[in-house]
Amino acid sequence: MTVLPTVNRDGFDLVVYQCGMEKCKSSHSYGPAIRDHFLIHFVHKGSGIFNVNGKVYEIKPNQGFLISPDVVTYYKADDKDPWIYSWVGFKGIKAESYLKLSNLSQEKPIFKCKEGKFVKKCFDDMIKATELKYGREFRLQGLLGVFLSELIEEAGKHVVINGDYKELYIKKSLQFVETNYSRKLNIPEIAKNVGLNKNYFSTFFKEKMGVTPQQYIIKFRINKACELMSNDALTISDISRSVGYDDTLGFSKIFKKEKGISPKNYRENLE
């Protein structure tokens, strides 16, 4: 097992605390015990049982289980065919939301992944990354993200988009706009990033936000432009390009429609 040294990790989206791989002996077990972070085990070979919330799950190759913080769990390798598994322990401000997108939670702790070889490589790469001296934290964060993205992709094939998932998809959409508003951006691209049909995405976005995706993008860009107006080093054209509008005239028309005043007059009123 590789346990990483303690550093200040506040504010990280994902933080890997430990990772490793183990070939267990017959009947090898752990617990009952609790953890203070999320812990995922993925079985490569063999089998075993996982006990949580009064339920016992039999885990086989290409299956895994999630241990949530502060939850009592117990797991044990099979007597005749003990498992070989990899694991990763992690925290982070977005850890729980990523797990929800993977359809994983304390109530739904079991998952299956067809791409077993791909997942094994993710774990192998994480274990190797622990040996890095300078870029370890960011390499591990990225590799954990790759692993979770595979779980999210697999979960997305089987999940029904209910209210909770809509909320997560909305957050993902808003984050995408916030990151990409300064370049050309269209609705099909956002829908594809979220992983939904364009028309369905547009419908539930308006349902949740009260405006269409395009209206939201415009409002977001214009509000960003207003923030930049106080920077005297930027011309109106500079601001226009900075918020995704190459055509300054077109930007001015949209700005006036949104704010009821031209960009030039808006800036003058700030003085």
mmCIF file of all heavy atoms in Angstrom, residues 186-217:
data_model
loop_
_atom_site.group_PDB
_atom_site.id
_atom_site.type_symbol
_atom_site.label_atom_id
_atom_site.label_comp_id
_atom_site.label_asym_id
_atom_site.label_seq_id
_atom_site.Cartn_x
_atom_site.Cartn_y
_atom_site.Cartn_z
ATOM 1 N N ASN A 186 -21.361 26.806 -28.492
ATOM 2 C CA ASN A 186 -22.720 26.538 -28.957
ATOM 3 C C ASN A 186 -23.386 25.472 -28.092
ATOM 4 O O ASN A 186 -22.732 24.757 -27.326
ATOM 5 C CB ASN A 186 -22.732 26.127 -30.435
ATOM 6 C CG ASN A 186 -21.850 24.917 -30.698
ATOM 7 O OD1 ASN A 186 -22.000 23.878 -30.062
ATOM 8 N ND2 ASN A 186 -20.915 25.043 -31.645
ATOM 9 N N ILE A 187 -24.676 25.370 -28.231
ATOM 10 C CA ILE A 187 -25.467 24.479 -27.383
ATOM 11 C C ILE A 187 -25.132 23.002 -27.620
ATOM 12 O O ILE A 187 -24.984 22.244 -26.652
ATOM 13 C CB ILE A 187 -26.977 24.724 -27.583
ATOM 14 C CG1 ILE A 187 -27.305 26.216 -27.411
ATOM 15 C CG2 ILE A 187 -27.785 23.877 -26.604
ATOM 16 C CD1 ILE A 187 -26.736 26.823 -26.148
ATOM 17 N N PRO A 188 -24.993 22.555 -28.893
ATOM 18 C CA PRO A 188 -24.626 21.148 -29.102
ATOM 19 C C PRO A 188 -23.323 20.762 -28.391
ATOM 20 O O PRO A 188 -23.198 19.648 -27.882
ATOM 21 C CB PRO A 188 -24.474 21.049 -30.623
ATOM 22 C CG PRO A 188 -25.386 22.097 -31.149
ATOM 23 C CD PRO A 188 -25.269 23.231 -30.168
ATOM 24 N N GLU A 189 -22.383 21.691 -28.339
ATOM 25 C CA GLU A 189 -21.111 21.403 -27.676
ATOM 26 C C GLU A 189 -21.299 21.216 -26.174
ATOM 27 O O GLU A 189 -20.714 20.309 -25.566
ATOM 28 C CB GLU A 189 -20.117 22.534 -27.943
ATOM 29 C CG GLU A 189 -18.745 22.292 -27.338
ATOM 30 C CD GLU A 189 -17.782 23.443 -27.581
ATOM 31 O OE1 GLU A 189 -18.220 24.485 -28.105
ATOM 32 O OE2 GLU A 189 -16.599 23.291 -27.218
ATOM 33 N N ILE A 190 -22.124 22.081 -25.576
ATOM 34 C CA ILE A 190 -22.380 21.959 -24.135
ATOM 35 C C ILE A 190 -23.115 20.659 -23.845
ATOM 36 O O ILE A 190 -22.776 19.928 -22.914
ATOM 37 C CB ILE A 190 -23.203 23.156 -23.622
ATOM 38 C CG1 ILE A 190 -22.467 24.471 -23.895
ATOM 39 C CG2 ILE A 190 -23.470 23.014 -22.122
ATOM 40 C CD1 ILE A 190 -23.275 25.703 -23.536
ATOM 41 N N ALA A 191 -24.132 20.364 -24.670
ATOM 42 C CA ALA A 191 -24.914 19.139 -24.480
ATOM 43 C C ALA A 191 -24.018 17.908 -24.607
ATOM 44 O O ALA A 191 -24.125 16.957 -23.819
ATOM 45 C CB ALA A 191 -26.048 19.080 -25.499
ATOM 46 N N LYS A 192 -23.106 17.936 -25.568
ATOM 47 C CA LYS A 192 -22.187 16.805 -25.755
ATOM 48 C C LYS A 192 -21.269 16.662 -24.562
ATOM 49 O O LYS A 192 -20.981 15.549 -24.109
ATOM 50 C CB LYS A 192 -21.362 17.023 -27.027
ATOM 51 C CG LYS A 192 -20.407 15.874 -27.337
ATOM 52 C CD LYS A 192 -19.642 16.116 -28.626
ATOM 53 C CE LYS A 192 -18.684 14.966 -28.914
ATOM 54 N NZ LYS A 192 -17.906 15.199 -30.177
ATOM 55 N N ASN A 193 -20.794 17.787 -24.025
ATOM 56 C CA ASN A 193 -19.925 17.740 -22.854
ATOM 57 C C ASN A 193 -20.639 17.135 -21.654
ATOM 58 O O ASN A 193 -20.042 16.394 -20.872
ATOM 59 C CB ASN A 193 -19.430 19.148 -22.517
ATOM 60 C CG ASN A 193 -18.577 19.195 -21.276
ATOM 61 O OD1 ASN A 193 -19.058 19.474 -20.186
ATOM 62 N ND2 ASN A 193 -17.295 18.910 -21.424
ATOM 63 N N VAL A 194 -21.913 17.446 -21.533
ATOM 64 C CA VAL A 194 -22.716 16.904 -20.431
ATOM 65 C C VAL A 194 -23.053 15.440 -20.691
ATOM 66 O O VAL A 194 -23.183 14.646 -19.773
ATOM 67 C CB VAL A 194 -24.007 17.733 -20.264
ATOM 68 C CG1 VAL A 194 -24.937 17.096 -19.252
ATOM 69 C CG2 VAL A 194 -23.667 19.147 -19.835
ATOM 70 N N GLY A 195 -23.182 15.087 -21.978
ATOM 71 C CA GLY A 195 -23.508 13.716 -22.339
ATOM 72 C C GLY A 195 -24.975 13.477 -22.599
ATOM 73 O O GLY A 195 -25.492 12.385 -22.375
ATOM 74 N N LEU A 196 -25.667 14.546 -23.091
ATOM 75 C CA LEU A 196 -27.099 14.431 -23.334
ATOM 76 C C LEU A 196 -27.455 14.885 -24.745
ATOM 77 O O LEU A 196 -26.700 15.614 -25.393
ATOM 78 C CB LEU A 196 -27.877 15.290 -22.326
ATOM 79 C CG LEU A 196 -27.794 14.895 -20.848
ATOM 80 C CD1 LEU A 196 -28.526 15.920 -20.007
ATOM 81 C CD2 LEU A 196 -28.362 13.510 -20.617
ATOM 82 N N ASN A 197 -28.633 14.451 -25.182
ATOM 83 C CA ASN A 197 -29.193 14.927 -26.439
ATOM 84 C C ASN A 197 -29.428 16.437 -26.369
ATOM 85 O O ASN A 197 -29.887 16.950 -25.346
ATOM 86 C CB ASN A 197 -30.509 14.195 -26.707
ATOM 87 C CG ASN A 197 -31.281 14.750 -27.879
ATOM 88 O OD1 ASN A 197 -32.047 15.695 -27.724
ATOM 89 N ND2 ASN A 197 -31.065 14.174 -29.047
ATOM 90 N N LYS A 198 -29.124 17.155 -27.455
ATOM 91 C CA LYS A 198 -29.210 18.622 -27.468
ATOM 92 C C LYS A 198 -30.607 19.118 -27.099
ATOM 93 O O LYS A 198 -30.747 20.027 -26.271
ATOM 94 C CB LYS A 198 -28.833 19.156 -28.852
ATOM 95 C CG LYS A 198 -28.893 20.678 -28.959
ATOM 96 C CD LYS A 198 -28.761 21.147 -30.400
ATOM 97 C CE LYS A 198 -29.994 20.814 -31.202
ATOM 98 N NZ LYS A 198 -29.977 21.423 -32.556
ATOM 99 N N ASN A 199 -31.636 18.542 -27.695
ATOM 100 C CA ASN A 199 -33.000 19.019 -27.440
ATOM 101 C C ASN A 199 -33.435 18.738 -26.010
ATOM 102 O O ASN A 199 -34.049 19.590 -25.352
ATOM 103 C CB ASN A 199 -33.973 18.360 -28.425
ATOM 104 C CG ASN A 199 -33.740 18.813 -29.852
ATOM 105 O OD1 ASN A 199 -33.258 19.918 -30.100
ATOM 106 N ND2 ASN A 199 -34.058 17.955 -30.811
ATOM 107 N N TYR A 200 -33.098 17.548 -25.507
ATOM 108 C CA TYR A 200 -33.460 17.209 -24.139
ATOM 109 C C TYR A 200 -32.723 18.115 -23.159
ATOM 110 O O TYR A 200 -33.293 18.609 -22.190
ATOM 111 C CB TYR A 200 -33.137 15.750 -23.850
ATOM 112 C CG TYR A 200 -33.519 15.329 -22.448
ATOM 113 C CD1 TYR A 200 -34.852 15.090 -22.128
ATOM 114 C CD2 TYR A 200 -32.569 15.181 -21.452
ATOM 115 C CE1 TYR A 200 -35.222 14.729 -20.840
ATOM 116 C CE2 TYR A 200 -32.921 14.818 -20.168
ATOM 117 C CZ TYR A 200 -34.257 14.589 -19.869
ATOM 118 O OH TYR A 200 -34.607 14.241 -18.601
ATOM 119 N N PHE A 201 -31.435 18.340 -23.427
ATOM 120 C CA PHE A 201 -30.631 19.214 -22.580
ATOM 121 C C PHE A 201 -31.234 20.615 -22.525
ATOM 122 O O PHE A 201 -31.387 21.209 -21.456
ATOM 123 C CB PHE A 201 -29.199 19.279 -23.107
ATOM 124 C CG PHE A 201 -28.394 20.414 -22.544
ATOM 125 C CD1 PHE A 201 -27.942 20.381 -21.231
ATOM 126 C CD2 PHE A 201 -28.097 21.527 -23.320
ATOM 127 C CE1 PHE A 201 -27.213 21.429 -20.705
ATOM 128 C CE2 PHE A 201 -27.371 22.579 -22.806
ATOM 129 C CZ PHE A 201 -26.925 22.534 -21.490
ATOM 130 N N SER A 202 -31.593 21.166 -23.683
ATOM 131 C CA SER A 202 -32.141 22.523 -23.743
ATOM 132 C C SER A 202 -33.450 22.628 -22.967
ATOM 133 O O SER A 202 -33.702 23.622 -22.282
ATOM 134 C CB SER A 202 -32.374 22.935 -25.204
ATOM 135 O OG SER A 202 -31.147 23.000 -25.909
ATOM 136 N N THR A 203 -34.260 21.577 -23.047
ATOM 137 C CA THR A 203 -35.557 21.585 -22.364
ATOM 138 C C THR A 203 -35.400 21.616 -20.850
ATOM 139 O O THR A 203 -36.003 22.442 -20.166
ATOM 140 C CB THR A 203 -36.387 20.347 -22.769
ATOM 141 O OG1 THR A 203 -36.634 20.395 -24.186
ATOM 142 C CG2 THR A 203 -37.714 20.326 -22.026
ATOM 143 N N PHE A 204 -34.565 20.712 -20.307
ATOM 144 C CA PHE A 204 -34.482 20.675 -18.852
ATOM 145 C C PHE A 204 -33.611 21.807 -18.310
ATOM 146 O O PHE A 204 -33.776 22.224 -17.167
ATOM 147 C CB PHE A 204 -34.037 19.290 -18.345
ATOM 148 C CG PHE A 204 -32.561 19.072 -18.209
ATOM 149 C CD1 PHE A 204 -31.844 19.658 -17.182
ATOM 150 C CD2 PHE A 204 -31.892 18.236 -19.091
ATOM 151 C CE1 PHE A 204 -30.481 19.429 -17.030
ATOM 152 C CE2 PHE A 204 -30.540 18.004 -18.940
ATOM 153 C CZ PHE A 204 -29.835 18.604 -17.910
ATOM 154 N N PHE A 205 -32.707 22.369 -19.141
ATOM 155 C CA PHE A 205 -31.931 23.538 -18.714
ATOM 156 C C PHE A 205 -32.876 24.718 -18.472
ATOM 157 O O PHE A 205 -32.790 25.390 -17.436
ATOM 158 C CB PHE A 205 -30.890 23.901 -19.769
ATOM 159 C CG PHE A 205 -29.930 24.981 -19.333
ATOM 160 C CD1 PHE A 205 -28.682 24.657 -18.835
ATOM 161 C CD2 PHE A 205 -30.275 26.326 -19.414
ATOM 162 C CE1 PHE A 205 -27.791 25.641 -18.418
ATOM 163 C CE2 PHE A 205 -29.402 27.323 -19.007
ATOM 164 C CZ PHE A 205 -28.149 26.973 -18.500
ATOM 165 N N LYS A 206 -33.780 24.963 -19.415
ATOM 166 C CA LYS A 206 -34.725 26.067 -19.249
ATOM 167 C C LYS A 206 -35.656 25.808 -18.071
ATOM 168 O O LYS A 206 -36.015 26.728 -17.324
ATOM 169 C CB LYS A 206 -35.538 26.265 -20.526
ATOM 170 C CG LYS A 206 -36.448 27.495 -20.449
ATOM 171 C CD LYS A 206 -37.139 27.780 -21.770
ATOM 172 C CE LYS A 206 -37.988 29.048 -21.668
ATOM 173 N NZ LYS A 206 -38.678 29.352 -22.946
ATOM 174 N N GLU A 207 -36.017 24.539 -17.892
ATOM 175 C CA GLU A 207 -36.890 24.167 -16.780
ATOM 176 C C GLU A 207 -36.227 24.493 -15.432
ATOM 177 O O GLU A 207 -36.875 24.990 -14.510
ATOM 178 C CB GLU A 207 -37.179 22.669 -16.875
ATOM 179 C CG GLU A 207 -37.950 22.085 -15.702
ATOM 180 C CD GLU A 207 -38.029 20.572 -15.792
ATOM 181 O OE1 GLU A 207 -38.317 20.055 -16.894
ATOM 182 O OE2 GLU A 207 -37.783 19.903 -14.774
ATOM 183 N N LYS A 208 -34.926 24.236 -15.334
ATOM 184 C CA LYS A 208 -34.217 24.444 -14.070
ATOM 185 C C LYS A 208 -33.736 25.882 -13.894
ATOM 186 O O LYS A 208 -33.729 26.411 -12.775
ATOM 187 C CB LYS A 208 -33.008 23.499 -13.981
ATOM 188 C CG LYS A 208 -33.356 22.028 -13.977
ATOM 189 C CD LYS A 208 -34.052 21.605 -12.698
ATOM 190 C CE LYS A 208 -33.103 21.578 -11.524
ATOM 191 N NZ LYS A 208 -33.728 20.998 -10.321
ATOM 192 N N MET A 209 -33.330 26.538 -14.977
ATOM 193 C CA MET A 209 -32.690 27.857 -14.890
ATOM 194 C C MET A 209 -33.624 29.015 -15.227
ATOM 195 O O MET A 209 -33.320 30.172 -14.930
ATOM 196 C CB MET A 209 -31.473 27.906 -15.819
ATOM 197 C CG MET A 209 -30.381 26.895 -15.485
ATOM 198 S SD MET A 209 -29.678 27.138 -13.835
ATOM 199 C CE MET A 209 -28.915 28.750 -14.035
ATOM 200 N N GLY A 210 -34.733 28.724 -15.899
ATOM 201 C CA GLY A 210 -35.672 29.782 -16.249
ATOM 202 C C GLY A 210 -35.319 30.532 -17.515
ATOM 203 O O GLY A 210 -36.041 31.446 -17.934
ATOM 204 N N VAL A 211 -34.188 30.190 -18.124
ATOM 205 C CA VAL A 211 -33.767 30.784 -19.395
ATOM 206 C C VAL A 211 -33.202 29.664 -20.260
ATOM 207 O O VAL A 211 -32.839 28.595 -19.766
ATOM 208 C CB VAL A 211 -32.686 31.871 -19.199
ATOM 209 C CG1 VAL A 211 -33.243 33.065 -18.451
ATOM 210 C CG2 VAL A 211 -31.458 31.313 -18.483
ATOM 211 N N THR A 212 -33.129 29.908 -21.561
ATOM 212 C CA THR A 212 -32.528 28.924 -22.449
ATOM 213 C C THR A 212 -31.013 28.923 -22.255
ATOM 214 O O THR A 212 -30.445 29.897 -21.732
ATOM 215 C CB THR A 212 -32.835 29.248 -23.918
ATOM 216 O OG1 THR A 212 -32.171 30.472 -24.277
ATOM 217 C CG2 THR A 212 -34.332 29.382 -24.146
ATOM 218 N N PRO A 213 -30.321 27.865 -22.680
ATOM 219 C CA PRO A 213 -28.864 27.854 -22.583
ATOM 220 C C PRO A 213 -28.227 29.053 -23.285
ATOM 221 O O PRO A 213 -27.276 29.653 -22.767
ATOM 222 C CB PRO A 213 -28.467 26.542 -23.253
ATOM 223 C CG PRO A 213 -29.656 25.658 -23.073
ATOM 224 C CD PRO A 213 -30.834 26.574 -23.176
ATOM 225 N N GLN A 214 -28.746 29.421 -24.464
ATOM 226 C CA GLN A 214 -28.184 30.547 -25.201
ATOM 227 C C GLN A 214 -28.365 31.860 -24.439
ATOM 228 O O GLN A 214 -27.455 32.695 -24.377
ATOM 229 C CB GLN A 214 -28.838 30.652 -26.581
ATOM 230 C CG GLN A 214 -28.186 31.681 -27.507
ATOM 231 C CD GLN A 214 -26.728 31.368 -27.774
ATOM 232 O OE1 GLN A 214 -26.364 30.240 -28.056
ATOM 233 N NE2 GLN A 214 -25.871 32.380 -27.676
ATOM 234 N N GLN A 215 -29.529 32.043 -23.838
ATOM 235 C CA GLN A 215 -29.775 33.246 -23.043
ATOM 236 C C GLN A 215 -28.841 33.298 -21.839
ATOM 237 O O GLN A 215 -28.342 34.370 -21.475
ATOM 238 C CB GLN A 215 -31.235 33.282 -22.585
ATOM 239 C CG GLN A 215 -32.232 33.558 -23.701
ATOM 240 C CD GLN A 215 -33.676 33.348 -23.273
ATOM 241 O OE1 GLN A 215 -33.965 32.556 -22.368
ATOM 242 N NE2 GLN A 215 -34.597 34.056 -23.925
ATOM 243 N N TYR A 216 -28.590 32.142 -21.241
ATOM 244 C CA TYR A 216 -27.684 32.097 -20.090
ATOM 245 C C TYR A 216 -26.268 32.492 -20.506
ATOM 246 O O TYR A 216 -25.594 33.249 -19.802
ATOM 247 C CB TYR A 216 -27.669 30.702 -19.472
ATOM 248 C CG TYR A 216 -26.726 30.605 -18.295
ATOM 249 C CD1 TYR A 216 -27.128 31.004 -17.024
ATOM 250 C CD2 TYR A 216 -25.417 30.157 -18.468
ATOM 251 C CE1 TYR A 216 -26.253 30.948 -15.947
ATOM 252 C CE2 TYR A 216 -24.536 30.094 -17.395
ATOM 253 C CZ TYR A 216 -24.958 30.497 -16.141
ATOM 254 O OH TYR A 216 -24.075 30.455 -15.086
ATOM 255 N N ILE A 217 -25.813 31.964 -21.645
ATOM 256 C CA ILE A 217 -24.466 32.289 -22.128
ATOM 257 C C ILE A 217 -24.332 33.794 -22.362
ATOM 258 O O ILE A 217 -23.335 34.418 -21.983
ATOM 259 C CB ILE A 217 -24.159 31.522 -23.434
ATOM 260 C CG1 ILE A 217 -24.067 30.022 -23.147
ATOM 261 C CG2 ILE A 217 -22.849 32.009 -24.058
ATOM 262 C CD1 ILE A 217 -23.990 29.169 -24.394
#
